[in-house]
Amino acid sequence: MPQVSIARLFDDNLERLRLEWVAGRGGSTKALNSELTKDSSQGLIGHLNFIHPNLIQVLGTSEAAYLAGLDGASCRSILAKVATKELACFIVAGTEPPPPSLVEIAESTDTPLLRSPVASVELMWMLRPYLARALAESTISHGVFLDVLGMGVLITGDSGVGKSELGLELISRGSGLIADDVVELYRIGPETVEGRCPVLLKDFLEVRGLGVLNIRTIFGEAALRPRKNLKLIVHLGKPVGQMERLPLNAGSESIMGVDVRKVTIPVAAGRNLAVLTEAAVRNYVLELRGFDSTREFVERQSDQMQKRDG
């Protein structure tokens, strides 16, 4: 189950957000996990909220001024109701110092209290995508994941069908390698799946007969990508029976509940799979813009037949 401890959140964002750990170091192992954030009625991160408390409570200038206007006993009382075991941490954003009552509550309840000079809205803009990636539901797929003409394309198929060879040819034509063999897929949004490469396999592509190739060394930095959203699956299959020549219904595959467009390319001697893959990408881009070549062709034929019969 994906999870992020407050200690890891602090370390990962220390330089970018210029974080300072003010109090509550005893709660450094407190963690956010995907199940908690998915099922909880609480928000993941937001400004200080007493009615629907966020798991990460951010105090900007307005929130700090509100607490500063309360007497010490009242401030401690309302903060104690928020600093429950479910709360992950407080973050004080901006130039105002943390209210003394907040420091006291954080220390007594082992609730991490962090501080950043970054304004609260900007801080949340920066933390939300970080948390979305760190807590994303994930799975593993076998294939070659590439950036083809700006689109994330996962090439799948049986072992030995030629996935890596196709990947190598596409790289030589300007595509970028993200991962070979094992592709880590993360659902980072309701309709968004992101593909990444395991650290151990980074930069490498295995091609039968050639062995393991270091794509960075052979083709340079421009031939690699760190991650990409998955938009299209290209499945390499062996010709079986009579395939539909003009498929009117687009194929798809569900990955963690997200439907991803899928095309199947039969593998046969003499077929240029790289050109076919690039054509599939270009065709899908046109469909996303409202142009469906197959339907246009069928409608044109239908119109001609009606004119002839008329």
Side-chain angles (χ1 to χ4, degrees):
M1 179 191 305
Q3 66 176 21
V4 179
S5 68
I6 301 306
R8 177 185 162 193
L9 182 148
F10 178 81
D11 291 338
D12 289 349
N13 297 277
L14 176 62
E15 294 185 7
R16 189 170 58 145
L17 297 178
R18 289 169 283 166
L19 291 174
E20 174 190 353
W21 200 307
V22 179
R25 284 190 173 274
S28 62
T29 58
K30 280 194 170 187
L32 298 162
N33 63 66
S34 56
E35 288 299 317
L36 177 63
T37 56
K38 180 175 67 175
D39 299 333
S40 175
S41 60
Q42 296 173 294
L44 176 58
I45 182 172
H47 284 109
L48 184 65
N49 191 323
F50 300 114
I51 300 174
H52 296 289
N54 302 294
L55 297 172
I56 298 177
Q57 295 270 32
V58 178
L59 289 80
T61 303
S62 299
E63 291 74 26
Y66 169 75
L67 293 179
L70 300 174
D71 61 82
S74 298
C75 187
R76 285 191 295 272
S77 175
I78 61 174
L79 287 174
K81 294 178 181 178
V82 178
T84 62
K85 63 179 181 179
E86 288 80 17
L87 178 65
C89 70
F90 291 108
I91 302 179
V92 176
T95 56
E96 293 297 320
S101 297
L102 179 59
V103 176
E104 181 183 332
I105 288 293
E107 199 63 47
S108 64
T109 60
D110 282 335
T111 301
L113 171 58
L114 312 181
R115 183 183 180 187
S116 169
V118 178
S120 61
V121 173
E122 185 179 352
L123 179 141
M124 289 187 288
W125 282 347
M126 297 170 75
L127 275 182
R128 281 191 179 114
Y130 163 79
L131 292 168
R133 285 193 168 91
L135 298 174
E137 180 185 357
S138 64
T139 187
I140 290 176
S141 181
H142 293 280
V144 182
F145 191 41
L146 300 154
D147 174 357
V148 181
L149 302 174
M151 180 176 287
V153 178
L154 177 62
I155 300 171
T156 64
D158 294 338
S159 178
V161 77
K163 300 185 294 295
S164 296
E165 289 85 347
L166 172 56
L168 183 60
E169 185 170 359
L170 286 168
I171 292 168
S172 71
R173 295 169 64 94
S175 294
L177 174 68
I178 296 142
D180 174 48
D181 190 31
V182 177
V183 184
E184 296 177 342
L185 298 174
Y186 296 83
R187 185 179 180 182
I188 62 171
E191 298 296 329
T192 307
V193 175
E194 181 182 84
R196 311 174 200 168
C197 182
V199 175
L200 185 64
L201 302 179
K202 188 178 179 182
D203 301 346
F204 295 120
L205 178 75
E206 182 185 2
V207 180
R208 292 174 187 269
L210 296 180
V212 177
L213 305 179
N214 188 314
I215 298 302
R216 185 187 301 273
T217 303
I218 297 174
F219 293 96
E221 187 74 29
L224 298 165
R225 307 286 188 276
R227 61 177 64 89
K228 196 76 178 178
N229 290 345
L230 173 60
K231 295 294 184 181
L232 180 66
I233 298 172
V234 174
H235 183 74
L236 304 182
K238 298 176 182 178
V240 178
Q242 191 69 25
M243 295 192 67
E244 187 178 6
R245 295 189 63 180
L246 295 177
L248 297 180
N249 298 316
S252 66
E253 181 175 327
S254 179
I255 297 180
M256 294 178 289
V258 177
D259 289 333
V260 180
R261 179 65 178 273
K262 181 178 182 178
V263 297
T264 298
I265 299 179
V267 177
R271 305 199 83 193
N272 192 323
L273 299 180
V275 171
L276 292 174
T277 300
E278 289 180 348
V281 171
R282 294 180 188 276
N283 189 55
Y284 185 41
V285 170
L286 288 175
E287 289 183 21
L288 292 174
R289 295 175 180 173
F291 298 96
D292 191 324
S293 302
T294 301
R295 290 192 180 278
E296 183 182 357
F297 174 71
V298 171
E299 289 172 1
R300 185 183 299 180
Q301 275 199 329
S302 179
D303 290 341
Q304 290 295 324
M305 291 174 66
Q306 289 179 359
K307 290 179 182 178
R308 185 189 64 186
D309 295 340

